[in-house]
Each structure stands twice: as structure tokens, then as C-alpha cells.
Amino acid sequence: MKQFLIYITKVLLITILIAIVLDGLYTYVFLQSKNRGKIEDVFNSKTRNYDVVILGSSRANNHFDAQMFQDNGLKAFNFGMSGGHLFEASLLLKLMVERKYEIKNVILEADLNLASQHEAEGISALFLPYIHNSKIIKNHFAGKENFNELYYIPFYRYIKYETKIGCRETFFAAIHKKTNQLDNLGYRGLERHKNANMKNNIAKLNPLPHNKYYEEIKNICKANNINFIAVMTPMCENVVGMNYFDKVKKSYPEIHNYENVIVEDKYFSSCGHMNDTGSKMFTAKILKNFFKK
Amino acid sequence: MFFNSLAFAIFLPTVFFLYWFVFNKTKSAQNALLIIASYYFYSCWDWRFLFLLVFSTFLDYYTGIQIEKGKSEKSRKFWFWLSIIVNLGFLGMFKYYNFFASSFSDLLNSIGIKASPILLEVILPVGISFYTFHGLSYVIDIYYKRIKAEYNFVDYSLFVSYFPLLVAGPIERATHLLPEIKVKREFDLEKAKEGICQIIWGLVKKIVIADTCATYANAIFDNYTSMNSFSLILGAVYFAFQIYGDFSGYSDIALGVSKLFGLDLLRNFNYPYFSRDIAEFWRRWHISLSSWFRDYLYIPLGGSKGGLWMKIRNTFIIFIISGFWHGANWTYVAWGFINAVYFLPLLLSNSNRNNMDDIRLKFDFDSAKVMMSILYTFLLTCIAWVFFRARTITDAVEYLKRIIVNKDFSFQYLDNERYSYEILLMIGVFVLIEWNNRTKLEPLSGKRSMLKIALAITAVIAFGTFSDYKEFIYFQF
């Protein structure tokens, strides 16, 4: 039995050792990666200057054409992330500030995402390779339920989110395989689909009265003299529960309601996302109203 | 509690410690601990079904004794049929009642008689097909005087409820497991080491092969109408490896865990995809079920000894029932039927026992023929698996039809955000490892075992699928 216990201890030690080695290897690869996504692009970057930084979910990513800002003499980048919540937008802005980005304006898409303070697992996982290399990321995740496992168990985060930061993603990062996420200054224009779903029901959705991460973003901007512009972006005509946007306006009077500036279905790719044409019209309005362009 | 869960990783060492350090004095103490552990293990799914398990155990225990004690044939028959009817009654009620009720109702509706079935709102107790078959084989063996009845209730309960085989087999025989349970187990270092190797290899099969293949197979089968020929072919292959990795992985873990407790369970898989014909496949796939049906159904029906019609009848009965055992759906029946169609020509031409020897390859024409026959057999099984996996028979037929008519062999991007071909290399490596170790129980033991274990653990950690967690397929049966 003693021999067996030694044997099993060896197997366990090997397992721990493998987890530590793989953890180090994967983290090293992600620390070298620059061309696969917005998070690693920011994390592995140094000082940058922007006139306009756009943050939010896919409704920011697909709605603000950063090139139009650029064409009007404003250096801009769209850091909106499809599937992301304000949890990730806030953390990304914190990292930018830590890297001493000089940002004049932040445009935050703040509408449907105000209803949640949870992280979007698929997006927040992309920060986790750096959790041991950044106090900001560590502190941002510190309150989360599974923080201890993610932080202290070697390789656990890569196992838990293997579809996002597992061996496949690590392999592509190692060979520097480029994605299209950073193309078009981060903006991703959508096409109009013939059979797209042009209905939505948000009647049960309610904005949180004091969304922690929205307030965080607002405060970071204030502390760093960044002009903060929060906007609600358009949705298609057939939405049930459109008074959601009135509720947002009531709780957050400083958020500009642009929900109804584009309404016709022909400008939408799906109910919550405008197509490229709609997005360009919308961006033009934003440029005119906030930047006098 | 799944074998590949954190809960089991705590449960197993705890039971192991208690078994060898606290309850190690007598056989009764060992068995009592394993019973408690098994009931706890089972109750982790749904404690209410524990009563069903205990009832089924007691029924077979009691009827077994009554059959043995029975002075007249009439009394023996009475207890025998009571056990059979109650056991199959429970199985039928929980597993098949709703299926038959709705199928009958559909039939009546199709001929213009309006009918709405009365359906039971019950969930299928996990492992019911497995422990029912344990009990049935025990009672049948006593009735035919192949074994003596077991008078020690704890020992008998352990035979039925032993946790490694409780929910997904292998389906044990009283003739095999009871004698092991009846003696005190002494710790055997080599056996325990083998057990660890088998557990780790089982985890590789489940987490690396089965669960990864599952994400691809699901993405293809669930959207088969938009898939091209190449993706559909890959989907069938992926499902073949999913179900093999899943079920044989579970069996490996069950066998490995048992070895830690000094018990040897029946081998359930013997590299089935290296079979040279369908008859050999069925000697290598889910061996405990195939041999159960052979011994308790096929042979009592007359086996292959009768005339032509009897052979045909028995072949179809055994395969269709075997298919139906897997679940209450016509797709399983179709799967059984197809396998009967595959098997029958071999039986009728007396070539069903042609490939009983080990496969040895050289660089010659005969070896090329062997390789071709292996590939051909795999192709046949993949076609049958399409019926097993599809939601309906129509879906399965459409799936196969689309492979032929679509004729597009380009790579497709799937719903799981991966290209259809991406795991082919991994499957290739897995097949190569299994091929090179086909004479062994698993590839990790033997020379440089620690290195191989380290590589297997690396594979599980680095290449396993964890986020899209899947329970073992055979739990539903």
C-alpha cells in the first residue's frame, strides 16, 4: 500500500507540474499576442493617443464606424466587443488608462447592457491569461464567485474557458494568425439579411438604477479628464417594451437617447443591430451632434 | 456524480481510504462500505430512485431464494416469472410506456381514429436498464440451476448496486462477480496501478475524444440540412468516435476503479473499430450486453441451430431488442435492424466466426485486404450510427441521402465556431495509439508507464473539452 501511495503521489505531482508548465506556456504565448483581439491588443500595447475611443457591446462594435471619425480628423478606434457587457468595457478602459493612453473622448454605448452587472463569460475570459500579470485585472475579477479557482489553481482558467483561451486559441496566438477584429479600426459593419429577425421583446428588461460598471467608466473618465459621452443606440421598429429606453433616461439623464434616430428595417441587419448603411447614417449624426463635423 | 467530476474526485479517494484502512478487517465490512458508498453514489442523481433500486434488489434476492427452495416446478416457475414480470414491468413503465402509448396513438390517428395518449410524467431512473439486467441474469441462472442463490443480502446487494457499474455497466453476471464479492479482497499493487492507468485512459477517451467529437457531431447533425457531403461524412465519423470514446471511456474508468478495490469486472470493449466484419464488431462492442443477449435470449430461442427461418428470426429478434434496449425510439430499432441485416449474410454463409484470431499485418496483399475489411466494417457501423444519432428515421435517411446528392466536399465552418476537419488529426493520433496497443487493455501500462501517463494527463488538460460539459451517453439507457 505504501508503494501505491507513493505511486499515486507521483501521478498527482506530475499532474500539478503539467498544469503549472502549461499555465506558464499559455500565458507566455498570450503575452506575445497582438493581432487576434482587442483585449490582447490593449494589454500588450504601450501609450497611444486617441481623440475618440468607442466602448460597449456589439451594439457599439457594429454601430460606430471609426473610419468616419478618422476621415473627419479624429483619431478613433472602436473597442466595442460583440457579446461584451459593461464589466469588460470598464476593465478595458482601466487597462488603457494604466498604459497611459491619452484619450480625449469616450463614447460608451449604454442601453441594454445597463440591465446587467454580470460579466460576459465569453469576453471576460479573454482577460484571464493576464490575471497574474496585472493587478487591475486581478482586482476587477476579485469579487467574482470563482475568483480563487481562477487565480490560484494553475491552468484552471484555461480549462474552464477552453473554447476561448484553450489550446486552439493558444496555437493561433503562437503562430500569430491574424483575425479581422482589429480591421476597419475595430468597426464591424453588418450586411442586411433578407430573412433577418426584425422583432424583439425587451419588456422584461429593466436598467439597474446604479450599474456599478457604468459608474466606474464614468468616474474613470472624470478622473482622467476624458469627455464622457454615453448614448443609447437604435433598435428596429418592432420592439416590444420600447419604454425601456425611457426608463434608462429616467435613471441616467446624462445618457443621450439615439434609439429612435434610425428606425426603418432596411437599415438593420437584425433587430438590435444596424447594417453598415444604417451605422454610417448613425455615426454621421453622432459626429455632427457631438463633434460638430 | 459523474466519473469525470470534481465530486467523484473527492468521493473515490475517500471510499478508497476507508476501504483499505478502516473497513479492511473482513469481507463483510468491505462489502458494507461499498454498499453504503454505492447507495450514496446513486442517490446523488435522485435519492427517490434509490427505493426502486433497493426494491429491485430485494425482489431478485427473495425470488432467487424461493426459486432455489421451491419444491415443485410450479412454485419455481411462479417465483421466476414474478421476478421477470416485475423487473421488466418497471423497465417497461419507466422506459417504454410513453413510447408505446404515443406510438399506438399515432397509429390510431393515422387510420382516422382520434386518440390522445395518456402519458406518464416520469423521468427515467438512471441505470435502470443495467441493474435490471443484473437482476434478471441472476434469477435466470438460478432457475436454470447454473448458480446457487445468494443468501447474504449485503453480498447480493453489492452485486446489483456496486457503484462503478451501477449506472452504465458493464452488465455483470452473478457467476463472475459474486464469487469475487464473497471473499475478502487483499490489496494488489500491480492491479491498483493497472486500475489507475485504465482510469486515466478512460478520461482521455471521454474528455479528449468523446466530448470534443460531440461538439462537432452535434453541430453537424443538428444542422444537417445545411451541411455538405464532406461535413456529413465527418459528422458520422465524429459520432462514431464520440459514442466509442464515451461508452468505452466510461467502461475503462469503471474497470479501473474496481481494480482499486480489488475487483475485476467484465471487459466491455475490445477495440471494436479494428473489426474485420460485423460479427467481430459485435464480439468487441459492448461485450457484456452482446453476451447477455446471446446467453439469455438468442440461445434460449434456439440460436443458430434451427433452420433458415429460425436463424433469420432469431437474428432479427436479438438485434432489434438490443437496439430497443438503448432507448424508446424507432431510431434505435432501425439501428438494431440494420445491424441484423449486416450480420445475417455472415451467419447464413457460416462466416460469422471467421475472424476470431488477432490481427497481424505485414507488407503483403492479405494485410491490405485486412485493412480494407476493417475500413469497410467501420463504414457500415458509421451508416448504422447515423440512425442511432438522428432524431427520427426520416432525418437519418435524409442525412445519408444528402451525403450522396450534395457532392460538395469543401471545408465548412460549423456552429461550434470550428472548421469541420479540425479534429481529424487528433482522431488519427488516437486511432494510431489504440492500434499499436490493441493487444493490451489500455496503452498506458507497461514500459515507460509514467511518461505515458504524463502525456495522457497533458492531453486531458490541454486538449480536453470542459466548457461544454456532457454527461455519459449511456446514462440515458
Side-chain angles (χ1 to χ4, degrees), chain A residues 153-289:
Chain A
I153 301 176
F155 207 68
Y156 178 80
R157 60 197 189 283
Y158 294 109
I159 284 177
K160 177 138 178 78
Y161 300 106
E162 48 88 12
T163 56
K164 295 290 168 187
I165 52 174
C167 67
R168 187 175 183 271
E169 181 57 30
T170 310
F171 173 72
F172 288 141
I175 61 167
H176 302 294
K177 189 177 177 188
K178 195 178 168 292
T179 68
N180 60 4
Q181 280 200 36
L182 301 172
D183 295 350
N184 303 319
L185 300 171
Y187 163 70
R188 185 163 170 255
L190 299 175
E191 288 173 15
R192 167 142 174 75
H193 295 292
K194 270 184 185 174
N195 302 319
N197 177 21
M198 286 300 169
K199 284 178 187 170
N200 206 342
N201 188 341
I202 55 170
K204 286 182 184 168
L205 212 59
N206 282 307
L208 298 173
H210 300 287
N211 190 299
K212 182 184 167 188
Y213 298 106
Y214 172 79
E215 300 296 343
E216 257 185 21
I217 294 169
K218 207 163 82 172
N219 292 336
I220 293 166
C221 289
K222 198 175 172 188
N224 291 280
N225 295 319
I226 300 168
N227 182 36
F228 176 65
I229 303 165
V231 290
M232 298 178 231
T233 68
M235 290 198 74
C236 72
E237 282 174 296
N238 294 313
V239 177
V240 179
M242 205 58 117
N243 63 341
Y244 173 87
F245 296 91
D246 299 330
K247 288 186 235 169
V248 171
K249 192 70 191 166
K250 206 174 167 187
S251 299
Y252 303 93
E254 74 277 17
I255 302 180
H256 305 274
N257 189 356
Y258 277 72
E259 184 283 315
N260 51 7
V261 295
I262 311 281
V263 286
E264 288 176 75
D265 281 355
K266 66 179 177 181
Y267 296 119
F268 283 82
S269 170
S270 66
C271 195
H273 301 94
M274 286 183 284
N275 59 25
D276 191 43
T277 314
S279 297
K280 282 189 163 58
M281 288 166 64
F282 171 70
T283 307
K285 282 186 197 290
I286 296 290
L287 274 165
K288 189 181 165 199
N289 293 356

Side-chain angles (χ1 to χ4, degrees), chain A residues 58-72:
Chain A
S58 56
R59 285 166 50 73
N61 183 215
N62 306 138
H63 289 175
F64 295 93
D65 185 352
Q67 188 60 49
M68 287 174 69
F69 287 86
Q70 205 88 353
D71 294 344
N72 281 285

Side-chain angles (χ1 to χ4, degrees), chain A residues 24 31 42 51 76 78 84 99 108 112 119 201 219 241 259 282-283:
Chain A
L31 284 170
V42 170
D51 292 313
N78 186 330
R99 275 146 192 77
L108 176 71
L112 304 181
E119 72 268 39
N201 188 341
N219 292 336
E259 184 283 315
F282 171 70
T283 307

Side-chain angles (χ1 to χ4, degrees), chain A residues 7-8 18 155 162-163 168, chain B residues 196 418 422 461 466-467:
Chain A
Y7 176 81
I8 211 75
I18 290 167
F155 207 68
E162 48 88 12
T163 56
R168 187 175 183 271
Chain B
I196 293 293
R418 306 278 189 264
E422 282 189 17
I461 295 177
F466 296 89
S467 51

Side-chain angles (χ1 to χ4, degrees), chain B residues 43-61:
Chain B
S43 64
C44 286
W45 272 281
D46 194 329
W47 61 270
R48 291 168 300 177
F49 289 128
L50 201 56
F51 294 107
L52 189 66
L53 174 65
V54 173
F55 175 77
S56 171
T57 307
F58 184 76
L59 173 83
D60 296 329
Y61 167 76

